[in-house]
Amino acid sequence: MVFKRLLGALGVGGPSVDTVLDGGAVPPGGVLSGQVRLRGGGTAVDVEHITLELVARVEAEHAEGESEGFVAFERFTVGGGFRLGEEETYSVPFGVTLPWETPVSELHGQPLGIVLGVRTELAVAGAKNKGDLDPLAVGPLPVQEAVLEALGQLGFGFRSADLEYGRIGGTGQQLPFYQELELSPPPAYAHQVNEIEVTFLANPGGMEVVLEADKRGGFLSAGHDTVTRFTVGHHDVHTRDWNTEVDGWIRQLLEHRSAYGSHGGYGSSDAYGSPSPYGHAESHHHDDHHGGHRSGPGVGTAVAAGAAGLAVGVVGGMVAAEVVDEIGDFFEGDEEDEG
């Protein structure tokens, strides 16, 4: 998708800019490539810099309730220091590396409802102007895909995905927000848990998988949350039996007992059974887990297969279609608001 914006801040006849991203989803830690295409206006100008800004639509909880807005989480200067002549066309190719914690916006081509974008800033003769958002598609890393596929094969269904402002304490989180994938449990676990939330925190060496279970309350007890965390390496993707591995994670998660609490703080226990406080986006315990060899169907077999798959959602392809429309409308609205 190409967006065009006349830089009104520079006056009538100023230069225009088109940012064109190369097609296809990019994984976290991968290279996002494309071109920034400029066309000169009625007079020659000095281009001081061209900057790309990665932004995400993020939800935040506060005393008054919930709100959402855009958060910039990375900036790259990709060009500048040249003169753009009158009516001259100029193209600046770029290749920038996405942060490892960049949220996943699609799985097997199906959007998850996460809104990510690339905004172009052009500085000319001391004036700066931020152009329209270009939608950014981010696909999963192989190890993320393996975990999600295993969850799909175990019968978990996709409910929703969102980005939460805040930090998960006790982890190596770098960005000011984190992604949560909310999954519905299969019948085998439905009596124990309302939903499972999965957060991936990737880094160059591997990935932390944070799991949270919203547990069902019994006749004499209230529902409460259990949280635990596992660490895997990128090289592990072909050396583990992921179905068995992830099933073990879920069983271990549900076996842990958490202290009763509200949204402000929960309790959990570490691998040695010691209590460990957990506050929403504040603290976690660490539980490394290692397993055997991968087996079973190839990546994507169950996840993309139907209503139970994580990529499609609990009501089939309609969820994906609605998400596509919502994201498309959002970017079109942004273009109209800023044009």
Side-chain angles (χ1 to χ4, degrees):
M1 188 181 296
V2 180
F3 292 97
K4 296 183 177 181
R5 179 180 177 88
L6 183 66
L7 299 181
L10 305 177
V12 177
S16 62
V17 56
D18 299 348
T19 298
V20 184
L21 303 179
D22 291 341
V26 181
V31 176
L32 174 68
S33 59
Q35 297 182 37
V36 178
R37 298 172 181 174
L38 304 176
R39 176 176 291 277
T43 59
V45 294
D46 293 318
V47 176
E48 297 177 354
H49 70 250
I50 303 170
T51 301
L52 301 180
E53 186 176 63
L54 304 184
V55 299
R57 189 170 64 179
V58 176
E59 298 178 359
E61 294 185 4
H62 43 77
E64 292 74 24
E66 293 185 356
S67 61
E68 64 178 27
F70 275 95
V71 173
F73 61 97
E74 186 61 278
R75 287 173 61 87
F76 308 94
T77 298
V78 298
F82 61 89
R83 189 169 182 80
L84 183 66
E86 179 182 348
E87 301 295 333
E88 179 186 2
T89 59
Y90 194 90
S91 180
V92 179
F94 62 84
V96 296
T97 302
L98 297 183
W100 282 95
E101 291 180 15
T102 300
V104 175
S105 66
E106 66 176 55
L107 184 62
H108 298 296
Q110 299 288 344
L112 300 179
I114 298 298
V115 178
L116 303 175
V118 179
R119 194 184 293 278
T120 306
E121 179 183 277
L122 182 65
V124 177
K128 297 180 181 179
N129 200 294
K130 292 185 178 181
D132 297 290
L133 281 173
D134 229 337
L136 172 62
V138 178
L141 292 161
V143 68
Q144 291 173 323
E145 190 173 48
V147 171
L148 291 175
E149 180 191 355
L151 286 164
Q153 292 184 355
L154 291 171
F156 287 88
F158 175 76
R159 280 185 176 169
S160 65
D162 58 21
L163 304 181
E164 297 283 346
Y165 188 79
R167 297 185 181 275
I168 302 174
T171 68
Q173 182 183 344
Q174 299 295 311
L175 297 185
F177 58 85
Y178 56 93
Q179 182 176 19
E180 286 186 339
L181 300 173
E182 298 179 359
L183 313 179
S184 59
Y189 294 121
H191 66 289
Q192 295 177 274
V193 64
N194 290 312
E195 69 178 16
I196 297 290
E197 294 180 349
V198 182
T199 294
F200 296 121
L201 298 175
N203 57 67
M207 185 178 69
E208 295 173 273
V209 184
V210 181
L211 299 178
E212 179 175 355
D214 176 17
K215 301 187 69 176
R216 290 190 181 276
F219 179 66
L220 297 176
S221 63
H224 52 288
D225 292 340
T226 301
V227 181
T228 191
R229 186 182 70 189
F230 304 87
T231 302
V232 295
H234 296 298
H235 62 280
D236 293 339
V237 67
H238 298 300
T239 62
R240 296 192 179 196
D241 177 349
W242 286 103
N243 284 8
T244 301
E245 183 92 358
V246 174
D247 186 57
W249 293 354
I250 299 298
R251 292 178 183 274
Q252 185 170 339
L253 173 68
L254 297 182
E255 287 172 358
H256 285 176
R257 291 295 179 261
S258 64
Y260 296 108
S262 64
H263 294 294
Y266 308 105
S268 58
S269 57
D270 62 19
Y272 304 99
S274 301
S276 173
Y278 170 70
H280 186 66
E282 291 179 359
S283 63
H284 263 288
H285 71 276
H286 191 162
D287 191 357
D288 290 347
H289 197 74
H290 302 278
H293 299 281
R294 182 184 174 92
S295 63
V299 171
T301 302
V303 181
L310 298 180
V312 180
V314 293
V315 293
M318 291 188 295
V319 168
E322 290 170 358
V323 168
V324 170
D325 292 341
E326 178 185 351
I327 294 175
D329 292 343
F330 176 83
F331 280 104
E332 290 174 6
D334 181 80
E335 182 179 13
E336 291 172 358
D337 292 342
E338 298 189 9

